[in-house]
Amino acid sequence: MSAEATAPGKIILFGEHSVVYKGPAILLAVDRRATVIASKRDDKRIYIDSEDLGFSGYFEDGKYTSVTGKIWRGRNMAALDVAARKVMAYLGIESGVNLKVRSMIPIAVGLGSSAAVCVATTAAVGELFDGNLTNEKISELSYEGEKVIHGNPSGADNNIATYGGIMRYERGVGLKRLKLDVSLPFIIGNTRKKRSTRNMVEGVKALRDRNPEVVDPIIYTMASLSQAGLDALLRRETKKLGDLMNLNQGLLSALGVSTIELDELVYAARREGALGAKLTGAGGGGCMIALAESENLNKVEKSIRAARGHSMRVNITDEGVKTRKIKDEYS
Amino acid sequence: MSAEATAPGKIILFGEHSVVYKGPAILLAVDRRATVIASKRDDKRIYIDSEDLGFSGYFEDGKYTSVTGKIWRGRNMAALDVAARKVMAYLGIESGVNLKVRSMIPIAVGLGSSAAVCVATTAAVGELFDGNLTNEKISELSYEGEKVIHGNPSGADNNIATYGGIMRYERGVGLKRLKLDVSLPFIIGNTRKKRSTRNMVEGVKALRDRNPEVVDPIIYTMASLSQAGLDALLRRETKKLGDLMNLNQGLLSALGVSTIELDELVYAARREGALGAKLTGAGGGGCMIALAESENLNKVEKSIRAARGHSMRVNITDEGVKTRKIKDEYS
């Protein structure tokens, strides 16, 4: 017997970087999901099969042993080890588990892959041991895993992966979940350049320290733009939303977090009629997102590909973490 | 006997677009010059030889007749006709003139070529007839010519071409001329894409009309950035100046006036250590400028060329319009 859980990836629609200082970030869960299937083991190992990333191995007493493929992103895997053990500790169970990880979310480009995998692990292990975990508990236990990767994350990523939908996050104010009852497609363009969120955040801080008289007004503008963007989203004012995405991209460029690769995809999208296009996440690589009328989606996607971006079409999803029991999957 | 006048081109260092609404624009005269040699004719024609642009022709009673090459940018030539006639009218002279126009300033990319040619025409015709025109009068009469091209120009371009140096221009405040007693090289990267200043200004206005809550704060930020930029320039704080150029480029991108071609040159410059890089002028094509330490100038220039930009190195110049009599040039 085993248990499966899936959780969605996310995009940041507005507020990356400015959220560090002021105003909200607006996150959207998207219908690209990570899946984890958990099954029991007779030993105490946390065995992770991530064959689609080309490796498998196990943790035993916190130490990772590679079985197939190369050791890859040890910290990410450690997050799953921590999450699985936290769940079992919470349920008062001592056991090992197999975790079969499969994900449709590109890794390390700001689309919330690590949070989705962590949430799915937590939920799958909880289900495996009939833990009846609430979403609140899943998010909380996943956060323990996320901390292994990100140090002191905002808690936004594990929340959006748990609950889905739309989330407004503001420092000192907290999280607010919202729902959109209609579909709204976005095109994600992936530069395939990995980036370091920490380096980008530190770069903005250094720029601000040198030029507070200019950078602070930019951040204040971004803060009010993010709120205006959430309002436009909830009202489905797509033209307005596009304007605000374009304006936000310029302000993110001003902060020095865009790159020529990101801008090439942004301009490629706009050239074919995208209402708006901007980087999503920390910048310095990673992904951009474009909003377009349905009749232009194909053109915009093609243009992003012609500009050497990987593209995928996603929709906002209200579906957060989902769990089910399955039979005979993993022997 | 003939008379020669030369006048410098210019770059806008800060304040393009924002100057339409608030705050100063900072213009720098650069050591690329336009030259006009004027000689008398026996008829009333204003004969323009612009062979390095591939044409010549003449105005008679306001009507242009092509002599060699194609009719090209009729309005620009009309500006010279108007400027030459305004000078003669001011001096109470009825005559025709030959105008031999040669320029080292690329045309139609925002480097003040038309103003420089107009100022040089005014000064050369004034000198030809021993008019002893003051700089003030040269600038004023040139403005009449500029109006033919630009409708209702700010007066900044003809001023900087007349006086050289550094100019601060603000609507409702006027022009202020400043001098920098040390050299400061810039690299100009030319996308070779012509653009329409009017279209770009109208695009910004439309964006602002739709999103005043975001665009107004951006413009206010640009206004204070321009003043901070002038202060940094006068103090020769080149690192600060570079930061402000980069910040300004992002804000101009937010206003929708940058292009992928401009950004490619901007990033190419930054990649090789430019302290700052931004578009100059109306955007939508045209030129960008980069500031770099002297040891990086070659690398930056090479990088701009590798990104398919035409590049040239310029220096700020205090030399405004210069006039001299010459013998036997033009028969």
Side-chain angles (χ1 to χ4, degrees):
Chain A
M1 225 278 302
S2 44
E4 178 191 84
T6 72
K10 67 99 183 29
I11 54 178
I12 301 180
L13 182 58
F14 294 110
E16 47 273 273
H17 288 290
S18 53
V19 72
V20 174
Y21 303 96
K22 194 176 164 71
I26 312 302
L27 287 74
L28 310 178
V30 295
D31 54 3
R32 284 265 175 154
R33 302 177 73 86
T35 302
V36 172
I37 295 170
S39 58
K40 292 177 196 173
R41 291 179 64 93
D42 296 332
D43 56 23
K44 298 289 168 61
R45 291 176 180 169
I46 306 294
Y47 184 95
I48 297 166
D49 156 13
S50 190
E51 289 295 351
D52 56 355
L53 290 176
F55 72 96
S56 63
Y58 59 86
F59 285 88
E60 193 164 23
D61 300 326
K63 187 178 156 293
Y64 182 74
T65 303
S66 178
V67 174
T68 62
K70 59 179 189 289
I71 300 178
W72 178 86
R73 291 183 70 80
R75 278 199 307 170
N76 266 19
M77 292 308 111
L80 305 198
D81 177 51
V82 168
R85 290 189 194 283
K86 290 276 175 188
V87 175
M88 291 189 285
Y90 173 72
L91 298 176
I93 286 162
E94 282 198 38
S95 178
V97 288
N98 296 305
L99 300 172
K100 183 174 177 177
V101 179
R102 297 293 183 267
S103 177
M104 298 300 284
I105 309 165
I107 55 165
V109 287
L111 298 179
S113 160
S114 65
V117 169
C118 213
V119 164
T121 294
T122 305
V125 174
E127 183 70 11
L128 182 68
F129 295 107
D130 298 311
N132 287 315
L133 300 183
T134 60
N135 277 352
E136 193 180 350
K137 184 53 72 178
I138 290 170
S139 183
E140 180 194 318
L141 292 168
S142 304
Y143 183 74
E144 299 298 318
E146 279 280 284
K147 279 205 282 194
V148 177
I149 307 175
H150 295 299
N152 188 21
S154 68
D157 276 21
N158 51 289
N159 253 279
I160 191 96
T162 301
Y163 291 97
I166 299 167
M167 207 177 61
R168 181 192 193 281
Y169 168 71
E170 184 172 355
R171 287 201 173 189
V173 174
L175 299 163
K176 186 177 175 187
R177 288 189 297 278
L178 300 145
K179 283 186 185 295
L180 190 72
D181 52 4
V182 283
S183 80
L184 187 68
F186 286 87
I187 294 164
I188 298 178
N190 186 346
T191 64
R192 290 167 287 163
K193 305 268 179 188
K194 292 182 185 166
R195 80 286 176 272
S196 155
T197 298
R198 186 169 304 185
N199 288 353
M200 302 316 292
V201 169
E202 282 172 4
V204 173
K205 181 178 182 305
L207 184 71
R208 177 172 179 256
D209 288 346
R210 293 199 303 274
N211 309 279
E213 79 285 10
V214 176
V215 174
D216 279 342
I218 290 174
I219 287 168
Y220 299 159
T221 305
M222 292 169 97
S224 63
L225 186 155
S226 296
Q227 184 59 51
L230 177 60
D231 297 343
L233 174 68
L234 296 176
R235 290 196 217 100
R236 265 186 76 81
E237 294 171 358
T238 50
K239 189 162 167 49
K240 176 80 181 175
L241 199 51
D243 271 350
L244 293 172
M245 288 170 70
N246 290 335
L247 284 159
N248 199 2
Q249 170 62 16
L251 298 175
L252 287 161
S253 293
L255 296 187
V257 300
S258 194
T259 65
I260 189 61
E261 291 85 3
L262 282 165
D263 275 316
E264 278 169 356
L265 303 190
V266 162
Y267 281 103
R270 290 178 188 161
R271 198 181 300 131
E272 293 299 334
L275 295 168
K278 66 179 280 291
L279 69 85
T280 183
C287 294
M288 51 73 71
I289 52 174
L291 178 70
E293 317 258 30
S294 51
E295 65 266 30
N296 290 331
L297 285 169
N298 282 338
K299 280 198 303 182
V300 168
E301 206 171 354
K302 207 171 153 186
S303 184
I304 287 172
R305 285 181 184 158
R308 286 163 297 145
H310 275 184
S311 80
M312 55 185 191
R313 207 179 291 190
V314 297
N315 221 306
I316 304 182
T317 180
D318 276 341
E319 193 168 74
V321 63
K322 290 283 164 188
T323 313
R324 66 181 179 119
K325 288 269 189 355
I326 50 175
K327 288 175 187 167
D328 302 319
E329 168 74 21
Y330 234 104
S331 60
Chain B
M1 224 279 302
S2 45
E4 179 192 82
T6 72
K10 67 101 185 26
I11 55 178
I12 301 180
L13 183 59
F14 294 110
E16 48 272 272
H17 288 291
S18 53
V19 71
V20 173
Y21 302 97
K22 192 175 167 71
I26 312 302
L27 287 74
L28 310 177
V30 296
D31 54 3
R32 285 267 173 152
R33 302 177 72 86
T35 302
V36 172
I37 295 170
S39 57
K40 293 177 194 172
R41 291 179 63 92
D42 296 333
D43 55 23
K44 298 289 167 59
R45 290 176 181 170
I46 307 295
Y47 184 95
I48 297 166
D49 155 14
S50 190
E51 289 295 352
D52 57 355
L53 290 178
F55 73 95
S56 62
Y58 59 86
F59 285 89
E60 193 163 24
D61 301 326
K63 188 179 155 292
Y64 182 72
T65 304
S66 177
V67 175
T68 61
K70 58 179 190 290
I71 300 178
W72 179 85
R73 290 184 71 81
R75 277 198 306 170
N76 268 19
M77 293 307 111
L80 305 197
D81 176 51
V82 168
R85 290 188 195 283
K86 290 276 174 189
V87 175
M88 291 188 286
Y90 172 71
L91 298 175
I93 285 161
E94 283 200 38
S95 177
V97 288
N98 296 306
L99 300 172
K100 182 174 176 177
V101 179
R102 298 291 183 268
S103 177
M104 298 299 285
I105 309 165
I107 55 165
V109 286
L111 298 179
S113 160
S114 66
V117 169
C118 213
V119 164
T121 293
T122 304
V125 173
E127 183 70 12
L128 183 68
F129 295 107
D130 298 312
N132 287 317
L133 300 183
T134 60
N135 277 352
E136 193 180 352
K137 184 54 72 177
I138 290 170
S139 182
E140 179 194 320
L141 292 168
S142 304
Y143 184 74
E144 299 298 317
E146 280 281 284
K147 280 205 281 195
V148 176
I149 306 174
H150 295 300
N152 187 22
S154 68
D157 276 20
N158 50 289
N159 253 279
I160 191 95
T162 302
Y163 291 98
I166 300 167
M167 207 177 62
R168 182 193 191 282
Y169 168 71
E170 184 172 354
R171 288 201 171 186
V173 174
L175 299 164
K176 186 178 175 186
R177 288 190 296 278
L178 301 145
K179 283 186 187 294
L180 189 71
D181 52 5
V182 282
S183 80
L184 187 68
F186 286 88
I187 295 164
I188 299 179
N190 186 346
T191 64
R192 291 167 288 164
K193 303 269 180 188
K194 293 184 184 164
R195 79 288 176 270
S196 155
T197 298
R198 186 169 304 186
N199 288 352
M200 301 317 293
V201 169
E202 282 172 4
V204 172
K205 182 178 182 303
L207 184 71
R208 178 171 179 258
D209 288 347
R210 294 199 302 274
N211 310 280
E213 79 285 12
V214 176
V215 175
D216 280 341
I218 290 174
I219 287 168
Y220 299 159
T221 305
M222 292 168 96
S224 63
L225 186 155
S226 296
Q227 183 58 52
L230 176 60
D231 297 342
L233 174 68
L234 296 176
R235 290 196 217 103
R236 266 185 77 80
E237 295 171 357
T238 50
K239 189 161 168 51
K240 177 80 181 176
L241 199 52
D243 270 350
L244 293 171
M245 288 170 70
N246 290 336
L247 283 159
N248 200 1
Q249 169 63 15
L251 298 175
L252 288 162
S253 292
L255 297 186
V257 300
S258 193
T259 65
I260 189 61
E261 291 85 2
L262 283 164
D263 276 316
E264 278 169 356
L265 303 190
V266 163
Y267 281 103
R270 290 178 189 164
R271 199 181 299 131
E272 294 299 333
L275 296 168
K278 65 178 280 289
L279 69 85
T280 182
C287 293
M288 52 72 71
I289 52 174
L291 178 70
E293 317 259 29
S294 51
E295 66 267 28
N296 290 331
L297 285 168
N298 283 339
K299 279 197 303 181
V300 169
E301 205 171 353
K302 206 170 154 187
S303 184
I304 287 172
R305 284 181 183 158
R308 286 163 296 146
H310 275 186
S311 80
M312 55 185 190
R313 208 179 291 191
V314 297
N315 221 307
I316 303 182
T317 181
D318 277 341
E319 193 168 72
V321 64
K322 289 282 163 189
T323 315
R324 65 180 180 120
K325 288 268 190 355
I326 50 175
K327 288 174 188 171
D328 303 319
E329 169 72 20
Y330 234 101
S331 62

